[in-house]
Amino acid sequence: MEVRSRSGRNPHPRVVRLPDELVAEILARVPYRSLCRFKLVSRSWRGLSSDPAVRRRCPQTLAGFFFTTTPLSGPHRRVRHFVNASGRGAPMVNDPSLAFLPPGHRDACFVDSCNGIFLCRREDDTPSRVGSRYPYFVCNPATEKWIDLPDTEVTSKPSPTLRLGFDPAVSSHFRVFALVKAQNPFELRDQVTGTEIYSSDTGAWTYRQSEWGDGTVAGCDSVFFCGTMHFISPGSSSLLTVDTDGRTWGKIPTPRDFDFIGVSQGHLYAVHLSGRGKDDRLSIWVLEDYAGQQWIKKHAVSARQMFGTRPRSFGDSYSFKVQAIHPEHSLIFLTAGKLSSLMSYDMDKKRVRFIWTLGENNEPAYPYVPCFSDWQLPGQH
């Protein structure tokens, strides 16, 4: 800040140094993206910007996406990457490899993410391997903390459906939902008979029998909202719900089957995809009245309307897959084409914006909202 003399002359300006307490109060009110940039101002600002107390208070929003690729040659080890939601600037996560994890955890693959924390499966411990222990764990890249999940019957089976529930605004504890399924000999799909729920509060799994009814099938796509886990149900016109204690089970009627669900601006959003590669069409719905279960069709757009002609990099089809929805803005994030081009679509401006090319041999992109809240975990590392 410059200070000038009363005479109006222009003497050599001098800088007034603000007290660290005031600077910390200012930094705690800026978005995390700005906080990262302010580290370059001075040594003292770098220290204040890294202060956990400041970071816990600064408002958070979608920072970007973690994604993983596997090289086609060499040792075929997964390589983890991070790209900003805008696609511009230095990555807000400097080390996406999660080097703070111990050996045996660093090559883990992501299973789910929720409000800044990740559910992971260890690469060196697979369910088919005899004697494997603790194949799943939960970690927080922002605080560099992690915890192994104890084994349970579901996690020892191949390809279980595990989903993560966490809301730091409500509680510092998280839940992991592991669906228990029974194979119907007359159908190819697995029917849900119950769920095991891990609580970081108790450090244990609890089994609850399903109350969704016989023949209910739950998809892998889900979202944690209002203290309740929501699952899509392939081929049906409903969403499946279960609370964190597994005591309240329900179904929300939907106007049609959905391929993706997410939360934005305090509402539940859902997306239906049609066309399947030729002229994909997205219809986007919002549950305006959660209690009254009233859905409103917010937007609809076709691939032709979005791009005009199909980009060459897409190959023979669009192959849309919705990856996320922005928590605060009317932005849908999706991948398309054989190289999995990550892009955003602005529903208000009806505009597509390219973000990054994930590549052919990649896993899903996981949205990341930094969370600096302290964990209250049994056996905390």
Side-chain angles (χ1 to χ4, degrees):
M1 186 172 94
E2 291 187 4
V3 177
R4 298 180 181 273
S5 66
R6 293 183 179 179
S7 63
R9 296 177 181 177
N10 188 19
H12 295 293
R14 60 189 178 89
V15 177
V16 175
R17 179 182 175 84
L18 298 176
D20 286 348
E21 294 79 5
L22 180 57
V23 174
E25 187 66 28
I26 295 172
L27 294 179
R29 299 171 185 267
V30 303
Y32 180 62
R33 178 184 296 273
S34 299
L35 194 65
C36 293
R37 293 174 178 171
F38 289 159
K39 289 183 180 181
L40 304 177
V41 173
S42 67
R43 183 176 299 176
S44 63
W45 279 44
R46 185 183 306 119
L48 290 171
S49 299
S50 302
D51 187 341
V54 173
R55 291 191 169 198
R56 280 196 297 269
R57 294 178 56 199
C58 71
Q60 307 297 334
T61 188
L62 180 67
F65 296 86
F66 281 94
F67 67 99
T68 307
T69 60
T70 303
L72 297 177
S73 60
H76 297 280
R77 305 288 281 183
R78 287 187 177 92
V79 179
R80 195 173 294 112
H81 312 268
F82 183 86
V83 59
N84 294 342
S86 64
R88 301 194 303 265
M92 295 177 65
V93 175
N94 297 325
D95 185 8
S97 69
L98 307 184
F100 64 89
L101 293 172
H105 289 63
R106 296 172 192 168
D107 293 324
C109 64
F110 289 142
V111 176
D112 196 16
S113 66
C114 185
N115 291 320
I117 66 175
F118 290 85
L119 173 64
C120 308
R121 185 180 69 247
R122 294 177 60 175
E123 177 71 5
D124 61 345
D125 280 326
T126 60
S128 61
R129 182 175 170 180
V130 177
S132 65
R133 289 179 56 81
Y134 312 125
Y136 291 92
F137 65 93
V138 173
C139 71
N140 184 340
T143 60
E144 299 189 350
K145 294 182 179 179
W146 59 275
I147 183 172
D148 285 322
L149 302 186
D151 292 333
T152 186
E153 184 178 355
V154 179
T155 59
S156 65
K157 295 181 178 180
S159 304
T161 299
L162 273 69
R163 311 306 292 170
L164 181 62
F166 176 60
D167 186 352
V170 176
S171 172
S172 59
H173 296 289
F174 65 83
R175 300 289 195 277
V176 176
F177 298 77
L179 296 183
V180 181
K181 302 177 182 180
Q183 180 70 47
N184 186 331
F186 303 103
E187 296 185 11
L188 297 177
R189 298 182 297 180
D190 294 329
Q191 300 180 18
V192 177
T193 60
T195 182
E196 292 200 47
I197 302 175
Y198 174 82
S199 168
S200 64
D201 187 9
T202 64
W205 293 91
T206 302
Y207 173 77
R208 300 294 184 187
Q209 185 174 351
S210 171
E211 298 179 14
W212 287 330
D214 295 338
T216 301
V217 177
C220 291
D221 205 280
S222 66
V223 68
F224 189 68
F225 179 57
C226 290
T228 300
M229 184 61 73
H230 299 68
F231 294 89
I232 63 172
S233 183
S236 73
S237 296
S238 64
L239 297 182
L240 309 174
T241 65
V242 58
D243 71 347
T244 54
D245 296 320
R247 300 185 184 278
T248 304
W249 300 67
K251 293 185 178 181
I252 299 177
T254 60
R256 63 177 313 145
D257 60 324
F258 289 128
D259 300 277
F260 169 85
I261 51 176
V263 174
S264 179
Q265 302 166 80
H267 294 284
L268 197 64
Y269 276 70
V271 181
H272 172 78
L273 286 171
S274 61
R276 301 304 178 190
K278 296 304 179 182
D279 186 20
D280 282 26
R281 185 175 184 86
L282 290 81
S283 57
I284 303 164
W285 300 74
V286 58
L287 188 57
E288 288 280 3
D289 182 2
Y290 188 90
Q293 300 183 346
Q294 181 180 359
W295 291 91
I296 295 177
K297 192 173 184 179
K298 179 179 177 65
H299 194 75
V301 63
S302 69
R304 192 178 302 276
Q305 290 172 321
M306 293 171 67
F307 300 102
T309 59
R310 184 185 303 140
R312 288 185 178 181
S313 61
F314 282 13
D316 297 330
S317 69
Y318 291 100
S319 303
F320 278 154
K321 180 174 176 56
V322 180
Q323 303 288 343
I325 185 169
H326 199 287
E328 298 171 0
H329 305 294
S330 298
L331 293 176
I332 293 286
F333 296 90
L334 61 153
T335 50
K338 63 180 182 179
L339 295 179
S340 294
S341 297
L342 179 64
M343 60 194 71
S344 64
Y345 175 70
D346 190 319
M347 289 179 273
D348 295 331
K349 299 179 180 179
K350 300 180 180 180
R351 187 166 59 194
V352 175
R353 183 174 185 177
F354 171 80
I355 298 175
W356 204 259
T357 298
L358 304 186
E360 291 185 83
N361 198 18
N362 69 84
E363 298 175 3
Y366 289 88
Y368 177 58
V369 178
C371 175
F372 296 96
S373 299
D374 287 330
W375 280 9
Q376 303 295 323
L377 299 178
Q380 187 172 8
H381 294 269

